[in-house]
Amino acid sequence: MAAIDNALADLQAAIGTEVGVANWITVDQKMIDTFAEVTHDDQWIHVDPERAARETPFGGTIAHGFLTLSLASRFAYDCFPVLPGQVMGINYGFNKLRFLSPVKAGARVRGRFVLQEVTKRNATDLLRTNVMTIEIEGQETPALVAEWLGLAVFEKG
């Protein structure tokens, strides 16, 4: 049996289970400022701590939603080991994505993944669908919930 078929069988047996919880990452003001600079999104709620403390209900700056989402790749490294015969993983997009709670500067976040579906697309590719929740330490409402698609690409034959 090919490596991809073994992986498919193993993953199908894990559907509906939590496949990983990532390590915590602190989203500090330096990270927010760097993201703002790289993306040219310097809205004051992200980069002006004094004004954000004065004029928002958050008590200070908050991370960009897309910054929080961009941490998903790091969280995936923590949670998805390379499968036997797999040569790479590729981000394939999202079916659903909702930002539920802002991430305040200084907060810690982590990803949590539940395998929802896996299909064999061809001789080298498995398409995995995971529900990813990015949690904020100490808060009941997560920062975001997404249905994330990823390809596990295997060596030929």
Side-chain angles (χ1 to χ4, degrees), residues 26-149:
T26 301
V27 179
D28 60 17
Q29 190 62 49
K30 181 180 179 191
M31 182 187 290
I32 294 168
D33 291 343
T34 301
F35 189 85
E37 183 178 334
V38 169
T39 61
H40 303 277
D41 181 355
D42 59 356
Q43 184 180 19
W44 63 269
I45 64 172
H46 306 302
V47 299
D48 188 338
E50 284 115 28
R51 184 175 177 192
R54 198 173 53 247
E55 298 181 29
T56 73
F58 311 121
T61 57
I62 58 171
H64 307 72
F66 285 125
L67 165 55
T68 305
L69 179 61
S70 73
L71 295 172
S73 294
R74 174 67 253 170
F75 298 144
Y77 281 115
D78 290 346
C79 296
F80 298 108
V82 175
L83 301 165
Q86 181 181 351
V87 295
M88 73 180 102
I90 298 174
N91 177 1
Y92 199 66
F94 295 89
N95 286 335
K96 298 176 186 175
L97 170 64
R98 292 291 180 267
F99 296 101
L100 302 174
S101 186
V103 176
K104 296 176 184 178
R108 292 190 340 148
V109 296
R110 71 177 175 189
R112 183 179 294 274
F113 299 89
V114 174
L115 182 61
Q116 188 176 44
E117 185 178 358
V118 61
T119 56
K120 185 175 179 182
R121 295 187 62 220
N122 55 44
T124 59
D125 298 351
L126 291 181
L127 178 62
R128 293 190 283 197
T129 304
N130 286 282
V131 173
M132 174 184 66
T133 303
I134 296 185
E135 304 172 323
I136 305 167
E137 187 176 41
Q139 289 190 20
E140 187 173 321
T141 304
L144 67 86
V145 176
E147 194 173 277
W148 190 14
L149 308 175

